[in-house]
Amino acid sequence: MADDRSTDRYAEWAGHILFTTLMIVGVANTVVDDRTHVLTLVCAGLFAVWYAIGAVWSTRGRSDLVIPWVLILTAGWIGLSVVSSDFVWIAFVVAMLCWHFLPRGVAVAVAVVIAATAVTTVRVDTGRFTVGGVIGPLIGIATAVAVTEAFGRITTMVVERDRLVDELIATREQLAERERDAGVMAERERLGGEIHDGTGQSLASIIMLLRAATSPSTPPEQRTSQTATALETAQTALAESRRFLRGLDGPQSPAEGLSGALAEQVAALSHDGVPTVFAEHGVPGSLPEPVQVALQRTVQEALLNVRRHAGARSAAVTLTHLPGEVHLDIVDDGVGMDPDNPSPAGDHTAGSGFGLRAMRARIRSCSGELTVESTPADGTTIHVNVPIERH
């Protein structure tokens, strides 16, 4: 039988086939042996019709009618067995239906009644109690109950498995969506960092150079130098933008090496009026390209902040090579800042805070760590530590 919890169709049809077979056997025996076969056949017909009606209700999910149908079917089978013992073995099907559809306590009681009725019917038919007449019906009914219980548990397990699979699929889809969102956010962050560290800084430098070159207080020879530097910076930004748009992953390792690139950035800041020194300690090793790019961009961003916001009189950049790691320090004696709130609301002289986030993100991508030590009016120290063996 099928209920509204979706029982396997094969078991349903197996039950129908078993019922039909036992009914045919009972009717055949009745026609051959029973002198009152007309009454028996009428009762058997009504019983079969009631079974068919309930089967239709069960298939259509009429759970409100299934329990009364099973109880009436059980009572009808008891009456049919009283009329003719040829239908006693239908007790197996009736016991299976009771155990499947009735509440467990009611099913146990009804199963006991079915067993007692079957044994009594066999006793009346044979004229005495026999071992086979008692054990046969009991074992048969017990087997029917056990099979139904096992099938019910298997069905419950299948339903639970399907529910878990549905939840797993839904969870996987949610995780895939979150991964897509995280990928989009990561790509936005990467693009923002590339634009900020590359073209953004170049444009900021060009603006500062052109402002200085157009200032009436700037000597004519310095104006020419600043204009030429602005033009060179613009050409560099254009080349980097084209490379970026071609799909390359940001800047490549500096052709002059990391030390040369840092020395060049330090010289540029000194040329802009903030005396800056560069020092390198330890034995330089072969640094992976992502580490070189991250350190170069970190110094570039830090020196730009020194130039634009720190109001520093001097600065220093130190690159230290140690076994298995490299350290970078950028120190200035400027106005300082609050590392936890680099861009306080309403302070238009401070940066947006994006540069500091971009520096940290770049260093984290190399499994490194960036720390900022600064207090207002007491300068700023940026320290970077990147392990090399992980790369």
Side-chain angles (χ1 to χ4, degrees):
M1 290 297 162
D3 60 4
D4 47 0
R5 293 172 298 172
S6 70
T7 305
D8 184 70
R9 292 289 181 181
Y10 290 109
E12 176 184 356
W13 282 103
H16 295 333
I17 292 173
L18 178 61
F19 176 83
T20 303
T21 301
L22 294 176
M23 284 295 298
I24 292 174
V25 171
V27 169
N29 289 336
T30 297
V31 172
V32 173
D33 299 330
D34 196 345
R35 297 179 180 179
T36 60
H37 62 272
V38 175
L39 176 62
T40 303
L41 292 178
V42 170
C43 293
L46 294 176
F47 181 74
V49 169
W50 184 248
Y51 176 89
I53 292 175
V56 173
W57 287 345
S58 175
T59 303
R60 294 182 178 180
R62 297 296 303 273
S63 58
D64 55 327
L65 300 176
V66 169
I67 293 179
W69 167 67
V70 172
L71 294 176
I72 294 175
L73 187 72
T74 303
W77 168 78
I78 293 174
L80 183 60
S81 298
V82 170
V83 174
S84 174
S85 61
D86 294 326
F87 298 94
V88 66
W89 303 114
I90 298 179
F92 302 151
V93 178
V94 176
M96 294 173 66
L97 293 175
C98 291
W99 198 261
H100 184 66
F101 288 111
L102 298 181
R104 189 59 69 230
V106 177
V108 171
V110 174
V112 171
V113 172
I114 293 173
T117 302
V119 172
T120 302
T121 301
V122 173
R123 160 68 178 80
V124 172
D125 184 59
T126 60
R128 60 191 180 89
F129 285 110
T130 62
V131 175
V134 175
I135 296 180
L138 294 180
I139 292 179
I141 293 173
T143 301
V145 169
V147 170
T148 306
E149 177 67 18
F151 182 77
R153 294 189 179 186
I154 292 174
T155 302
T156 301
M157 292 174 60
V158 170
V159 171
E160 180 65 15
R161 182 204 62 186
D162 293 341
R163 184 187 66 81
L164 293 176
V165 169
D166 292 340
E167 290 183 357
L168 180 61
I169 293 175
T171 302
R172 185 177 63 184
E173 292 176 350
Q174 293 176 358
L175 289 176
E177 184 177 356
R178 291 179 182 177
E179 288 179 358
R180 288 193 296 268
D181 293 341
V184 171
M185 294 302 297
E187 184 64 12
R188 287 178 180 175
E189 187 73 17
R190 188 187 72 83
L191 294 178
E194 294 293 348
I195 295 173
H196 178 273
D197 292 345
T199 306
Q201 290 192 3
S202 297
L203 291 175
S205 299
I206 292 170
I207 292 173
M208 295 181 64
L209 289 169
L210 293 179
R211 281 179 178 174
T214 56
S215 174
S217 60
T218 304
E221 62 277 6
Q222 191 172 352
R223 293 181 184 179
T224 303
S225 174
Q226 289 171 338
T227 303
T229 303
L231 177 60
E232 182 181 351
T233 304
Q235 291 174 340
T236 302
L238 178 60
E240 185 169 318
S241 298
R242 287 173 176 172
R243 183 172 61 247
F244 179 73
L245 292 176
R246 284 197 301 267
L248 299 180
D249 187 15
Q252 299 175 348
S253 298
E256 64 276 21
L258 178 61
S259 301
L262 299 187
E264 183 178 333
Q265 293 178 9
V266 166
L269 182 59
S270 298
H271 184 269
D272 291 338
V274 182
T276 307
V277 296
F278 171 68
E280 186 173 13
H281 304 288
V283 179
S286 177
L287 297 179
E289 181 174 321
V291 175
Q292 295 189 51
V293 172
L295 296 178
Q296 178 191 359
R297 287 304 200 189
T298 299
V299 172
Q300 183 180 8
E301 174 65 25
L303 295 184
L304 181 63
N305 289 337
V306 171
R307 181 189 303 167
R308 298 178 62 184
H309 309 300
R313 295 183 300 274
S314 64
V317 176
T318 304
L319 181 65
T320 304
H321 300 274
L322 296 176
E325 59 185 7
V326 61
H327 293 257
L328 177 68
D329 295 281
I330 305 103
V331 183
D332 69 77
D333 59 358
V335 297
M337 64 174 180
D338 181 0
D340 296 327
N341 188 20
S343 179
D347 186 356
H348 302 290
T349 64
S352 64
F354 183 86
L356 187 58
R357 295 196 301 272
M359 285 192 290
R360 284 198 170 105
R362 282 189 178 276
I363 298 303
R364 279 199 303 269
S365 69
C366 298
S367 303
E369 182 180 5
L370 183 146
T371 58
V372 179
E373 299 177 4
S374 180
T375 55
D378 195 24
T380 301
T381 298
I382 296 177
H383 177 73
V384 175
N385 174 24
V386 179
I388 304 302
E389 63 273 9
R390 298 185 183 180
H391 302 273

